[in-house]
Amino acid sequence: MNTIIVLSERGGGICLIEKLKMKNFRSHEDSDIDFTPGLNIFLGEVGAGKTSILEAISFALFGRYAGSVNQNGLIRRGAEKAIISLIFSTSTGRYKVERMISAKKTRKPKMSVYDGKEWRVAVEGATAVSKSVEDFLNVDASTFLAAIYASQSEIKEMLETQPGKRRERLDKLLGIDMYEKIWKTLGEAEHIVLKELTDAQDKASGVNVYEIQLKDIRFRVNSGKKELSDLRNSLADIDRKLKLTEQQLKGLNLIKQELTQVNIQTEGKNDEIEKSRKTIILLRDRQKRAEKASAIFERNKKFIDLENNLREEQKRVEIALQNRMNLMNILQRDERDLQQENESRNRLVTLLKGLSSLEEELKILEMERKPLPTLIDEQTEIQGGLDELNAKLIKVSSEIENQKRKVNRVVELGECPTCLQIVPEEHKERIRIETYKVITKFEDEYTSLKLSKERGSQQLEELKRKIERAEAADRKYFERRIQVKMIGGRQEELKYVGDRIEELKTSITECHNKMSEIKETPQTLKKINTKLEDVIPKSNLAREAELQSAAKADFEAMLRLEEYKKKELNTQLVTYRKLEKKLTKRYNAEEHVTIDGKVRVLREERAKIIGGMSRLERTMEDNEQQVKRINNLLDKKRKAKREVKRLKNESNIIDTLRQSLRQVIQPIMRKNNILRVSEAFQRFYQQLSNDTIDSASIDEDGNIDITRNGEPSPVNSLSGGETTCAALALRLAISSSLTKSQLLLLDEPTIHLDESYRAKLRDFLGDHRFEQLIVVTHDNTFDSLPAKIFRVQKRGGDSDVSPLKFGGV
């Protein structure tokens, strides 16, 4: 027999179960049960699924149930999930709890509140829902399962076990063991406090030693401050003397520095005057040479224009010859194409068969002609590169001629080509060698460019051959396409070839006409080059003379400027010599040496004082750090003393609490709780038993004393029916001690009871004072009670619950 008693006061008083829905729970595929206040009885054979109804109520309320079956075992065989929904009410309102069991995925339990129109979700989550149910019913899950919902075998075990174990079980059910746990917890706390007390006493020791050390260090700190003050006064006196001496030394240093600077400037002016004199001589010589160069330029300036004209003519002839060569290449190509087109026309006439072979050849020709646009682009790019190389060759050739003119100028005139000054023979030779190196570099560059041009020409020729092959493939491609289409349209192909032949003839005629217009020949270019070779030396000589003659006015201006500069330098030299004489009278070298030595001595004394002050300051800092450290230690030890006092008080308080708990509180609570259970046990036992029960009690040591019909009756001497009645009475006594019995659930209460005991139980249930009573039994005699009766039976392996109306319900 299982018994469940639930009280709800905290949540609002009486709790009534209104409705239970089970889907795929245990053997119930889809059961929907409506409960009523008062007595509700479920009748059915053993294994019909009656107990599953009570398990569903327990699981819906707390997510827990009495039994060792895994949650997945609660799911009906063949189903994936089970769903339980329970509606209950209190004086505060109506509530619905929904939970699901699934092996694959879970859905959060939820609790809803009915607001008069619809259900509104108030709480979600397993923990939150269970906590809310506990608040509304004023019973936690542990009490619900451990103390109230227990099997019959557990009740018999409590009756038949030894008194000591029975006492432990009662202490646990009635909450008396809580005081033993508190006593042990206080013992552990006392042990921790004593350990902390020992540690605090260790930390608080040695206060006097640290106070003596602190007094000694503070004395040293005060002595150091006095010594530091004396050193600072000495330093101030030395600084005052040093400042006066340094000012005297600074004045002498400034006079000496000024005198040295005047001497340097006097020597510099002498050097500048000598340099100016030499420059005037040089400028006068260059002025004469510029006059001679002007005459040379007048005689040879016509050769410069002649050279420019010849170079323009040279460039024009080169372009014409290049055009002639391009026209000859085009003419040769068109003549070849004309010959090939004539041959193609002849072949087209005779072409009748071989279409498949022509199509294969057409594919090969397509691959050969495909690179033609790329090759033509490369030909244009290379041709442009060759044109750039020709321009660079002309530029480098011009640079070589310019360098040669510089060499001739150095050799013939003896002037530097950069600054136009007359240079010595050794410098002249060096300039000539360096210039020849530059000429050699440009000649190497000219040779390299010429080689690049030759390579580019070779690449161009090779590219032309590739283009010719690609163009040949292109022509063959069109020829083969014409041949392929010949079967369907040979006349059109012949017409295309004829047009192509006419185009080629026209192109050949145009090439002949353009070539006849070009009169220039390679001999013309050769004559021009010969004339240039004769003219270039004379034009170079004219250019050099022009440069020299152009500098004549510059030389005259420079000469006037240099003569004025020399005059100014002589005036400045006189001024510096007067200043030098004046400073020499003011400067005393012996006095300078004496004051310098005095400054060094004062600085050494100052450095020694500063070093002593630094060492003393470091010592004082160390002492102050020690003072801080000792003060911190003393603070900690004083704090530890206060902690020792506090921990002693705590230890005394804990010891007093433990003694009070063990000697006073725990015995009183055990006595009161056991007395309340004992009185309830006797009352329920007298109502359920057929015998005359004089007394039934439980003492504080767990002993059960029963007196029937005036004689003592030990528990082990009771019959099976009496044992069941005593077990049920003890269960009701414990439950009534924990709750106020507003809701009661009984599972098979008639086991081991004969007809007379069942009649007493029916009378007890008929006269019950519970707000709602739910009974599960296989005894059909219970249908005579004033209750709502439900029939539970198996149909095809599934439990079916159907309401019956008996007993005025």
Side-chain angles (χ1 to χ4, degrees), residues 21-32 48-49 52 74-84 792-801:
K21 289 185 178 182
M22 297 177 289
K23 189 170 184 179
N24 296 322
F25 183 82
R26 288 285 197 176
S27 58
H28 292 265
E29 180 180 9
D30 191 3
S31 297
D32 193 345
S52 299
L74 300 178
I75 303 174
R76 189 175 65 87
R77 182 176 298 178
E80 294 183 355
K81 59 184 179 180
I83 299 175
I84 303 98
V792 182
Q793 53 188 345
K794 283 285 186 74
R795 293 181 180 178
D798 295 331
S799 297
D800 179 70
V801 181

Side-chain angles (χ1 to χ4, degrees), residues 36 313 529 628:
T36 62
E313 184 66 19
N529 289 335
K628 290 181 181 178

Side-chain angles (χ1 to χ4, degrees), residues 159 247 512 540 594 599 620 681 725 734 778:
L159 287 172
Q247 287 177 353
H512 280 298
N540 289 338
T594 302
V599 168
M620 291 179 65
F681 175 51
C725 286
I734 294 171
H778 63 279

Side-chain angles (χ1 to χ4, degrees), residues 726-762:
L728 180 58
L730 182 58
R731 172 58 58 190
L732 292 173
I734 294 171
S735 300
S736 64
S737 298
L738 296 176
T739 67
K740 294 184 179 179
S741 303
Q742 298 297 335
L743 174 66
L744 176 65
L745 283 75
L746 298 178
D747 185 6
E748 296 290 356
T750 60
I751 294 177
H752 304 303
L753 297 180
D754 58 19
E755 179 56 35
S756 62
Y757 281 109
R758 288 199 295 271
K760 292 284 284 185
L761 180 60
R762 283 196 299 272

Side-chain angles (χ1 to χ4, degrees), residues 575-637:
T575 303
Y576 281 124
R577 282 176 178 169
K578 290 179 181 179
L579 182 60
E580 181 182 6
K581 186 176 180 180
K582 182 179 179 181
L583 291 172
T584 303
K585 291 179 180 179
R586 291 174 58 192
Y587 178 69
N588 189 338
E590 293 179 358
E591 182 184 3
H592 192 179
V593 173
T594 302
I595 293 176
D596 185 60
K598 188 176 180 180
V599 168
R600 284 199 298 271
V601 172
L602 289 172
R603 285 175 177 171
E604 290 173 358
E605 290 180 3
R606 185 177 187 277
K608 289 179 181 179
I609 292 174
I610 290 174
M613 290 175 63
S614 298
R615 289 190 296 273
L616 187 58
E617 286 173 349
R618 287 195 296 271
T619 302
M620 291 179 65
E621 287 177 0
D622 294 339
N623 289 333
E624 289 176 354
Q625 290 296 327
Q626 290 183 20
V627 169
K628 290 181 181 178
R629 181 177 60 81
I630 292 174
N631 278 328
N632 291 333
L633 289 173
L634 285 173
D635 290 341
K636 291 179 181 178
K637 290 186 177 294

